[in-house]
Amino acid sequence: MQATNVRLIQLALLVVILGGWELGVATGAIDQFFFPSPLAIVRQIVEWVMDPEFYNHVGVTLGETVLGYLIGTGLGVAAGVWLGLSPFVARVLDPFIKAVNAIPRVVLAPIFVLWLGLGLWSKVALAVTLVFFITFFNAMQGVKEVNPVVLSNARILGAKRTDLLRHVYFPAAASWILSSLRTSVGFAVVGAIIGEYLGASAGLGYLIARSEGNFDAVGVFAGIIILAVFVLVIDLVLDLVERKLITWRPRNGEERPA
């Protein structure tokens, strides 16, 4: 009943916001040049969805996002676990890591374009830089948070380094790593979209940039909504994966077993 009430309140709130927006545009209280009506945005989305070429743009952005996400998370987890297990190396590299992390990622986009051109890999490289540090810091912290008592007991029982990684470190850091994976999805999409803004002939970012160049606010809002749905779908997939991998975590409304 509580979940149903929450859904009903959310639906009512959405209807009020969209209805008020549509009414404001219809009465002239809202300038449709800057804020087009929701119905016009929906019509634009339907028009794009009905066009087979639209799925080519989705495929391009999805490919850039997935590659940047997988490479960034893979490198981030590997580096985080390595430095989490090597405190001396972590102290040596600490100022360099902080210096690189302090660089705004957006300013790297033109450099990647110069190095890698306007093709796929410049967008992937930018997405990697956005995703890497999120997973890196979470993986390193997750390894550091391992219970020393559990670690000592495993060593007493004869666990080797590979056994410790498999049965102690990775399970202990799994919550940290998976939470960073959920957060970094949006950043992977941002990296791909920014790269497409700088120069591309296909992709959702290209559609939004083209609409912006034509002062088409309807196309810009339609692209933003499609991107939001795009990220939500990926987040839903990760949520399902997280439930499969972390079976001991209670779901919403459930209690931990005594």
Side-chain angles (χ1 to χ4, degrees):
M1 290 294 295
Q2 185 178 4
T4 303
N5 292 335
V6 169
R7 296 300 182 190
L8 290 175
I9 294 173
Q10 291 173 341
L11 181 61
L13 183 61
L14 180 63
V15 170
V16 169
I17 293 174
L18 295 180
W21 185 356
E22 185 70 34
L23 182 61
V25 173
T27 59
I30 299 178
D31 190 346
Q32 63 179 347
F33 180 79
F34 299 103
F35 295 95
S37 71
L39 289 178
I41 296 173
V42 171
R43 285 194 294 267
Q44 180 65 75
I45 293 175
V46 172
E47 180 182 340
W48 280 351
V49 171
M50 297 299 292
D51 183 5
E53 184 65 22
F54 169 75
Y55 297 97
N56 178 49
H57 296 290
V58 174
V60 169
T61 302
L62 180 62
E64 296 164 354
T65 300
V66 170
L67 284 174
Y69 181 73
L70 293 178
I71 296 173
T73 53
L75 293 176
V77 170
V81 172
W82 174 49
L83 293 185
L85 296 175
S86 307
F88 177 76
V89 179
R91 287 195 299 269
V92 171
L93 298 180
D94 181 66
F96 302 100
I97 294 172
K98 290 180 179 178
V100 175
N101 187 39
I103 300 174
R105 307 298 185 272
V106 178
V107 302
L108 295 176
I111 297 177
F112 290 140
V113 170
L114 290 175
W115 289 350
L116 304 172
L118 294 173
L120 170 72
W121 292 108
S122 60
K123 285 79 171 174
V124 172
L126 184 58
V128 168
T129 60
L130 288 167
V131 171
F132 172 82
F133 284 100
I134 299 175
T135 54
F136 166 74
F137 286 116
N138 277 271
M140 184 168 63
Q141 188 62 34
V143 170
K144 289 181 179 179
E145 292 293 329
V146 172
N147 191 326
V149 176
V150 175
L151 196 59
S152 299
N153 290 338
R155 288 190 176 121
I156 291 173
L157 293 173
K160 299 179 181 179
R161 189 176 182 85
T162 55
D163 297 324
L164 292 176
L165 283 173
R166 180 180 177 184
H167 299 291
V168 179
Y169 285 112
F170 277 116
S175 296
W176 290 82
I177 294 172
L178 288 175
S179 64
S180 69
L181 297 184
R182 299 283 296 277
T183 305
S184 58
V185 170
F187 287 93
V189 177
V190 168
I193 296 302
I194 292 176
E196 292 172 357
Y197 255 95
L198 290 178
S201 58
L204 295 177
Y206 165 76
L207 288 180
I208 297 175
R210 186 180 65 182
S211 299
E212 180 186 356
N214 295 329
F215 297 99
D216 180 14
V218 176
V220 173
F221 275 88
I224 291 173
I225 293 174
I226 290 173
L227 281 177
V229 174
F230 186 76
V231 175
L232 287 175
V233 170
I234 299 176
D235 184 74
L236 178 61
V237 173
L238 287 177
D239 183 54
L240 295 175
V241 173
E242 184 177 355
R243 290 184 181 183
K244 292 292 184 180
L245 293 179
I246 305 184
T247 55
W248 63 86
R249 176 180 293 178
R251 298 180 182 178
N252 293 335
E254 295 183 357
E255 296 182 354
R256 293 182 183 272

